[in-house]
Amino acid sequence: HLPAFGATLGAAWLLWTTAVPAVPADGKQSLSWEEFPASTDPNAVCMDGSRGGVYVSAADGNTEQAQYYILYLEGGGWCWNAETCNARCRWSETLQMCISPLASSKLWEDTVFQAGLLATDPSLTPLWGANKFFLRYCTGDAHMGSRGASPETSGWHFRGQETIIASLRIMVEKYGLGSVPGQTLLFGGGSAGARGAMVNLDYLPGLLDELGARGVATLGFLDSPYWIDESPDAAATPPSTFAGFGITTREAYALLNLSGRATGECLLAYPGEDWKCAFGQYRMPFIRTPYLMVASQFDAFQLGLNVGHYPSTKQEIDYAEAFAKGTYEAVTKLVELSVFNNSGLYSMACWSHSTSLTESFSTATVKGVSNAGALSTFLGLSPGSLINMDTCEGFECGSCRELVVV
């Protein structure tokens, strides 16, 4: 754990990981590192075996906001075979260690600063004064896996499930989660963090019960977990070299051991295709815990890989528009399910992905409603609709100019 050196080497993050600035800016929340103790959570480790940890900002106990706890899982892709997992490490011959913060905690900072949902300004987020826990992502498995290092894993650990349990233990034993009535836990994340929250969400009540925290209301906040099973655009110029989200999820499901977070109901729906229980389009219909899901119709991560770049030719834009239509139709079917009752959807027709820790959380809108406003309604803190969707047609037809590019 080398904070000064880590601020430099940690700057080159993989695509779509959460950017963590070295100094605070207006409204950003400061959170401090707490390492997971080996004595209580020996398997809560990063890919390289270094200790995982969570960044913490405790609430002022004298405010109404103190009843809220946030556990936000960081995003940053995942790996699905030896090649992608080895590349994730970014091995340094000079230092003889992984230098990617997505595979090792050795260069993590002591303090990080986060905006958006985790900001401190009441005008930017409805949970400005909550107890905030930011689970740094270094397990390579979208917070879903549970597998120790072995020759079959090329020596990498995939312990996302264990780092979530370790975070909850700290929240319960040190910060009072479950100690008094009326507390609410908002469990979520962005991108890979949202997908991890998706598969772990319904397991939280049982995990909290095992830790002695009872009576906690659990809700989900899922920012961009909703992959749809579309083949890459073979006609793009140049064509995408990505194998496809379905294929990579099949490989990841076996390598990372994701079976422990596949519910029986989901497995029964897809006999012989267990991997679908780790895939947004197929898993979301089985989530029972109320949640607010953010799903961009022109999801920049999915389209960025399926097309290979920002769409520019007519054919590529046609592909993107068909993708957006498919997303719109899929989430429309999702909200019609009875299981969706008390959940919420926020879907803009823009090229965007996982903006909940950026200024766009409070500035970008769907029909005049920001993501922050939608969350406030979902939490019962302000009136409004639980369903906020752009219904326009055409490439990036939403209020996309309000997005803050980071």
Side-chain angles (χ1 to χ4, degrees):
H1 190 52
L2 306 172
F5 196 36
T8 300
L9 288 180
W13 291 63
L14 297 182
L15 185 64
W16 301 118
T17 191
T18 305
V20 181
V23 294
D26 289 345
K28 289 187 176 179
Q29 177 70 66
S30 168
L31 301 102
S32 301
W33 153 266
E34 295 201 18
E35 183 175 287
F36 298 138
S39 58
T40 56
D41 296 279
N43 292 324
V45 297
C46 299
M47 287 180 62
D48 68 344
S50 58
R51 299 303 306 170
V54 65
Y55 287 80
V56 179
S57 175
D60 180 347
N62 296 320
T63 70
E64 292 184 1
Q65 288 272 312
Q67 69 179 303
Y68 291 101
Y69 288 71
I70 303 171
L71 177 54
Y72 189 100
L73 313 186
E74 184 183 30
W78 65 354
C79 62
W80 55 88
N81 55 29
E83 180 183 3
T84 55
C85 292
N86 291 340
R88 195 172 181 84
C89 159
R90 288 174 48 220
W91 180 258
S92 167
E93 287 293 340
T94 302
L95 298 176
Q96 287 294 294
M97 59 184 278
C98 294
I99 61 172
S100 169
L102 291 173
S104 176
S105 66
K106 293 178 181 177
L107 300 178
W108 284 0
E109 305 92 332
D110 286 327
T111 304
V112 297
F113 305 90
Q114 295 293 352
L117 170 62
L118 300 182
T120 60
D121 188 333
S123 69
L124 303 178
T125 174
L127 295 181
W128 53 273
N131 297 280
K132 300 168 186 176
F133 300 80
F134 177 70
L135 177 54
R136 197 79 179 261
Y137 178 35
C138 64
T139 54
D141 56 3
H143 306 274
M144 300 184 195
S146 181
R147 188 174 187 181
S150 70
E152 290 74 22
T153 69
S154 301
W156 303 117
H157 301 262
F158 304 114
R159 294 293 192 175
Q161 292 180 34
E162 284 82 357
T163 60
I164 289 174
I165 293 170
S167 299
L168 293 172
R169 190 186 311 279
I170 286 176
M171 296 169 73
V172 170
E173 296 182 356
K174 189 171 181 179
Y175 292 97
L177 178 62
S179 62
V180 297
Q183 294 177 333
T184 298
L185 169 60
L186 185 68
F187 177 69
S191 193
R195 295 190 294 115
M198 170 185 72
V199 303
N200 283 281
L201 183 57
D202 285 342
Y203 289 89
L204 280 205
L207 296 175
L208 290 171
D209 188 68
E210 291 175 4
L211 293 170
R214 298 174 178 85
V216 178
T218 304
L219 300 171
F221 176 76
L222 312 177
D223 181 4
S224 307
Y226 200 80
W227 286 0
I228 63 171
D229 198 3
E230 292 285 345
S231 298
D233 184 7
T237 307
S240 171
T241 59
F242 181 55
F245 288 97
I247 291 174
T248 56
T249 302
R250 288 184 186 92
E251 294 185 40
Y253 190 87
L255 174 65
L256 310 175
N257 185 26
L258 310 185
S259 60
R261 289 297 179 260
T263 61
E265 186 181 18
C266 181
L267 291 172
L268 285 173
Y270 306 115
E273 297 180 296
D274 296 7
W275 65 271
K276 288 186 174 180
C277 295
F279 198 98
Q281 180 180 359
Y282 303 118
R283 180 59 179 269
M284 286 304 302
F286 300 99
I287 305 300
R288 300 291 179 178
T289 305
Y291 59 84
L292 173 62
M293 182 177 74
V294 182
S296 176
Q297 294 163 38
F298 294 94
D299 185 272
F301 181 69
Q302 294 179 77
L303 282 171
L305 286 173
N306 278 351
V307 177
H309 48 266
Y310 185 83
S312 58
T313 69
K314 181 181 185 304
Q315 193 281 329
E316 291 167 356
I317 290 174
D318 287 346
Y319 175 91
E321 290 180 347
F323 179 95
K325 181 180 179 181
T327 300
Y328 178 87
E329 291 175 348
V331 296
T332 298
K333 291 179 180 178
L334 178 65
V335 302
E336 293 172 349
L337 298 175
S338 59
V339 71
F340 191 81
N341 188 35
N342 297 321
S343 290
L345 174 68
Y346 190 82
S347 179
M348 62 171 51
C350 293
W351 177 272
S352 66
H353 178 81
S354 187
T355 61
S356 53
L357 295 186
T358 73
E359 293 177 38
S360 295
F361 181 69
S362 58
T363 60
T365 62
V366 172
K367 298 181 177 179
V369 179
S370 69
N371 198 338
L375 177 60
S376 180
T377 297
F378 173 66
L379 295 171
L381 302 176
S382 62
S385 173
L386 289 173
I387 310 298
N388 296 278
M389 293 181 64
D390 276 330
T391 56
C392 56
E393 295 183 1
F395 185 55
E396 286 212 275
C397 59
S399 300
C400 308
R401 287 172 297 189
E402 298 171 344
L403 283 166
V404 178
V405 179
V406 293

